[in-house]
Amino acid sequence: MNAIALSGVKKFYREGDGIVHAVDGVDLTLAPGEFASLAGPSGSGKTTLLNLIGGLDRPDSGTLAIDGVFTNDRSDDQLAELRLQKIGFVFQAYNLIPVLTVFENVQFVLQAQGVPEREHSDRIAPILAELGLAEMAHRFPTQLSGGQQQRVAVARAIVGNPTIVLADEPTANLDSDTAAALLEMMRRLNRHQGITFLFSSHDPMVFDRASRVIKMRDGKIHEDARRD
Ligand SMILES: Nc1ncnc2c1ncn2[C@@H]1O[C@H](COP(=O)(O)OP(=O)(O)O)[C@@H](O)[C@H]1O
Ligand SMILES: [Mg+2]
């Protein structure tokens, strides 16, 4: 079974009198455990595609399945539940909650999933340790560097044991050392826990480490290169 399967997916936006074909007929499957990147110039549809896959948005046509579950005919609540259980999303702007500590930002997911409170520390502590954030657990996002905030965003994306992590330009705001460390860490999670990763990026460092680079232009996939 595919981790992600899209067939003929389209998403249009109205802009003034015209229509923008943000995603324009995408067929794409990712097998479980892939470590793949979307590439393409700004405006080529990468974010829109990730949002569709992540169930943050719905396609205008085409079908989409996550772990074999077709999402088209799901209600908004069912889609939110599927997202909560199966997908971790790392937003480009991190989207951390400023009034919560690092620990609480990550804990938020477990609360939403209904994981019993007594299990939270045992779930969160090893992830923060793995990400080099153990000392930061009680800090607030504004007390962290950009790279640290990005790692908290990754911790939040993986704490719920997702099968898929989607990350929109995860290295865009990081210096090259921090970006390399973050990619290394995501690769470890990919190898050890079998999590499927799909990034969007402009960053050659991301493409070098990806096992597959899917190039987009004008809302379409025009090249799909696998590497070993
Ligand atoms: N909410 C929106 N409303 C109108 N147009 C949008 C919206 N989101 C994206 N677009 C347009 O869709 C196209 C693809 O955008 P996007 O998916 O953000 O590309 P990328 O992430 O590759 O830069 C662009 O032309 C963009 O202007
Ligand atoms: Mg984008």
Side-chain angles (χ1 to χ4, degrees):
M1 186 177 27
N2 289 307
I4 298 171
L6 285 76
S7 177
V9 168
K10 298 188 180 186
K11 180 72 188 179
F12 304 141
Y13 292 113
R14 230 167 271 288
E15 205 168 66
D17 291 339
I19 288 181
V20 179
H21 297 239
V23 169
D24 197 10
V26 165
D27 301 316
L28 176 68
T29 57
L30 261 77
E34 287 205 65
F35 195 73
S37 184
L38 296 169
S42 185
S44 59
K46 304 181 299 297
T47 296
T48 303
L49 191 61
L50 288 178
N51 288 345
L52 291 170
I53 294 169
L56 301 169
D57 214 341
R58 287 175 179 275
D60 290 312
S61 64
T63 62
L64 211 150
I66 298 300
D67 253 0
V69 178
F70 281 92
T71 58
N72 294 59
D73 49 2
R74 304 263 144 172
S75 68
D76 287 350
D77 284 352
Q78 289 174 323
L79 202 55
E81 185 61 22
L82 184 76
R83 185 165 68 235
L84 182 63
Q85 300 301 338
K86 299 213 178 253
I87 296 175
F89 210 108
V90 183
F91 296 90
Q92 189 174 355
Y94 316 143
N95 292 9
L96 301 177
I97 301 168
V99 297
L100 300 182
T101 64
V102 166
F103 185 92
E104 290 164 345
N105 264 280
V106 178
Q107 184 179 30
F108 196 76
V109 175
L110 299 181
Q111 285 164 338
Q113 287 182 331
V115 174
E117 184 99 24
R118 62 178 181 280
E119 296 174 20
H120 289 187
S121 282
D122 288 346
R123 290 274 297 272
I124 295 168
I127 292 172
L128 293 185
E130 165 83 13
L131 298 182
L133 293 166
E135 312 292 306
M136 312 287 162
H138 301 297
R139 291 204 195 171
F140 291 91
T142 53
Q143 299 171 309
L144 304 176
S145 70
Q148 290 166 339
Q149 290 181 50
Q150 184 66 304
R151 282 183 273 151
V152 177
V154 173
R156 185 183 53 186
I158 63 172
V159 72
N161 289 334
T163 54
I164 298 163
V165 170
L166 305 170
D168 200 3
E169 310 221 11
T171 63
N173 304 311
L174 306 180
D175 64 69
S176 60
D177 285 349
T178 310
L182 184 80
L183 285 165
E184 200 46 53
M185 190 208 76
M186 291 199 274
R187 188 64 167 159
R188 268 205 306 279
L189 292 166
N190 167 253
R191 290 218 167 99
H192 295 171
Q193 294 180 36
I195 300 173
T196 307
F197 278 80
L198 180 62
F199 309 103
S200 77
S201 192
H202 291 293
D203 186 351
M205 194 190 274
V206 173
F207 307 146
D208 285 348
R209 287 165 173 77
S211 55
R212 180 176 173 192
V213 178
I214 301 150
K215 291 191 182 159
M216 292 188 73
R217 193 167 57 205
D218 299 333
K220 296 183 169 74
I221 293 173
H222 73 94
E223 197 183 312
D224 189 345
R226 290 165 188 279
R227 295 207 312 245
D228 299 314

